[in-house]
C-alpha cells in the first residue's frame, strides 16, 4: 500500500502554486490569501508551512540557482567558457527584466529579500570559487564570502532601472567589467568576454531563458509531486 507523507505533499503543492503565481502574475501582486484560495486551504494552514510569502520566494530562488548551474554545464557543452556563461547570465537576466515586468518584479523582489539574498550570495560565492580560482588562488574563504556580497550588490544595481539609468548595454558592460576586475580577470579576457556576449541577440536570449526557466520550474515542482505519490513506506 502506498502511503503519502501528507505534510510534505501539502508543502510541495504550496511551492508549486506559489512558483506559478510569482512567475506568471508577479511576486508583489500575489497574496497569501489568493494562493490559499487556489489551494482550498486557510491562510493559517499555509503559514504553518511557510511563515511568510518571502519564504515561498526563497524556494523559487533555490530553483533558480540550480537552473543556473545546470545551464552553465549545458553552455560548456556548446563551447562557452565559464566566464562567458557568467557574463551571459547577467546580460540575459537584465534583458528579461527590461522586456517582462513580471520577471523584473521577481528578480528585484529576490534581491530585496534578506532571506533570498543569502541564497544568491552563497550561490555566487560557490560558483566564483570554481570559475575564478585561477585568478584568486590566494584568496581565503572569507575573501570569497565578502566579494560575493559586493557582487550581489552590483547585480542588483544593474537590474534596478530608474529614469536616470544608462542603457542596457552600457549598464551591463560596466557591471561585468567591475565584477571581472574584482576577481582579477585580466583586461584582455574581460574585454573579449564582454564583447562576445554583447554581440549576441541578448533580447531574444533573455526571453528564451525566462521561458525555459518557467518550464523548468513547472517540470521540477510537478516531478516532486509525482515522486511523493510514488513513494512507499
Amino acid at each position: 500500500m502506498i502511503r503519502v507523507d501528507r505534510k510534505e505533499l501539502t508543502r510541495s503543492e504550496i511551492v508549486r502554486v506559489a512558483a506559478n503565481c510569482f512567475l506568471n502574475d508577479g511576486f508583489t501582486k500575489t497574496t497569501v490569501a489568493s494562493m490559499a484560495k487556489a489551494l482550498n486551504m486557510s491562510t493559517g494552514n499555509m503559514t504553518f508551512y511557510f511563515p511568510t510569502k518571502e519564504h515561498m520566494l526563497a524556494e523559487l530562488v533555490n530553483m533558480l540557482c540550480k537552473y543556473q548551474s545546470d545551464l552553465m554545464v549545458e553552455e560548456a557543452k556548446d563551447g562557452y567558457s565559464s566566464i562567458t556563461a557568467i557574463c551571459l547570465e547577467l546580460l540575459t537576466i537584465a534583458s528579461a527584466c527590461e522586456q517582462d515586468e513580471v520577471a523584473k518584479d521577481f528578480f528585484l523582489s529576490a534581491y530585496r529579500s534578506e532571506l533570498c539574498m543569502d541564497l544568491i550570495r552563497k550561490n555566487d560565492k560557490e560558483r566564483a570559487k570554481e570559475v575564478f580560482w585561477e585568478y584568486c588562488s590566494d584568496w581565503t574563504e572569507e575573501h570569497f564570502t565578502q566579494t560575493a556580497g559586493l557582487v550581489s550588490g552590483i547585480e542588483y544595481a544593474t537590474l534596478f532601472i530608474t529614469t536616470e539609468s544608462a542603457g542596457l548595454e552600457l549598464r551591463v558592460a560596466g557591471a561585468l567589467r567591475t565584477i571581472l576586475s574584482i576577481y582579477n580577470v585580466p583586461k584582455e579576457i574581460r574585454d573579449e568576454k564582454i564583447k562576445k556576449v554583447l554581440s549576441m541577440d541578448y533580447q531574444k536570449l533573455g526571453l528564451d531563458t525566462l521561458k525555459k526557466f518557467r518550464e523548468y520550474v513547472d517540470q521540477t515542482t510537478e516531478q516532486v509531486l509525482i515522486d511523493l505519490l510514488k513513494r512507499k513506506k
Side-chain angles (χ1 to χ4, degrees):
M1 179 179 178
I2 298 177
R3 295 181 179 178
V4 178
D5 185 331
R6 297 302 306 177
K7 286 185 178 180
E8 190 60 30
L9 182 61
T10 299
R11 188 180 189 282
S12 297
E13 288 176 335
I14 293 172
V15 170
R16 178 180 62 81
V17 169
N20 181 271
C21 290
F22 295 165
L23 289 178
N24 290 288
D25 302 326
F27 174 78
T28 302
K29 291 182 178 180
T30 300
T31 64
V32 173
S34 66
M35 288 186 285
K37 183 177 181 180
L39 287 159
N40 195 28
M41 67 171 62
S42 67
T43 54
N45 196 13
M46 283 192 71
T47 55
F48 171 79
Y49 293 94
F50 294 97
T52 67
K53 192 171 68 164
E54 183 183 351
H55 285 79
M56 301 178 204
L57 180 63
E59 293 290 323
L60 190 53
V61 170
N62 265 325
M63 289 186 217
L64 174 65
C65 292
K66 176 65 167 59
Y67 174 76
Q68 290 173 333
S69 295
D70 291 347
L71 188 59
M72 280 190 67
V73 172
E74 292 302 313
E75 289 173 340
K77 294 178 182 177
D78 292 335
Y80 292 114
S81 70
S82 296
I83 295 178
T84 301
I86 289 285
C87 293
L88 187 58
E89 179 180 291
L90 181 58
L91 177 60
T92 53
I93 290 175
S95 176
C97 287
E98 284 209 344
Q99 298 178 82
D100 189 298
E101 284 298 318
V102 172
K104 179 181 177 182
D105 178 64
F106 162 64
F107 282 106
L108 290 182
S109 296
Y111 275 92
R112 287 168 179 155
S113 160
E114 182 178 348
L115 181 62
C116 295
M117 277 297 283
D118 284 343
L119 298 174
I120 292 169
R121 286 169 179 160
K122 181 179 178 181
N123 185 58
D124 282 352
K125 170 189 168 183
E126 294 307 314
R127 290 198 303 170
K129 287 163 64 177
E130 295 180 8
V131 175
F132 301 112
W133 179 254
E134 64 178 298
Y135 308 112
C136 309
S137 58
D138 59 338
W139 282 21
T140 64
E141 187 78 7
E142 182 62 23
H143 200 154
F144 276 105
T145 299
Q146 292 175 351
T147 303
L150 177 60
V151 168
S152 64
I154 295 171
E155 292 168 347
Y156 173 70
T158 306
L159 303 181
F160 185 74
I161 306 168
T162 70
T163 55
E164 302 298 322
S165 295
L168 178 64
E169 288 194 12
L170 184 60
R171 197 168 68 250
V172 172
L176 292 176
R177 194 170 293 112
T178 302
I179 291 170
L180 297 183
S181 296
I182 289 172
Y183 287 113
N184 301 322
V185 177
K187 183 179 184 302
E188 61 271 17
I189 297 179
R190 297 197 306 263
D191 292 345
E192 173 198 343
K193 303 304 181 184
I194 294 170
K195 181 179 179 181
K196 181 174 182 177
V197 297
L198 288 177
S199 69
M200 298 178 183
D201 186 354
Y202 51 79
Q203 290 186 326
K204 182 177 184 301
L205 285 171
L207 293 179
D208 285 348
T209 300
L210 181 61
K211 178 183 177 183
K212 289 176 182 177
F213 176 58
R214 284 173 170 147
E215 292 171 351
Y216 171 85
V217 171
D218 287 342
Q219 293 167 3
T220 299
T221 53
E222 183 178 354
Q223 190 60 51
V224 168
L225 291 172
I226 291 173
D227 291 343
L228 282 170
L229 292 171
K230 287 182 176 178
R231 187 180 300 170
K232 295 183 179 181
K233 289 188 176 182

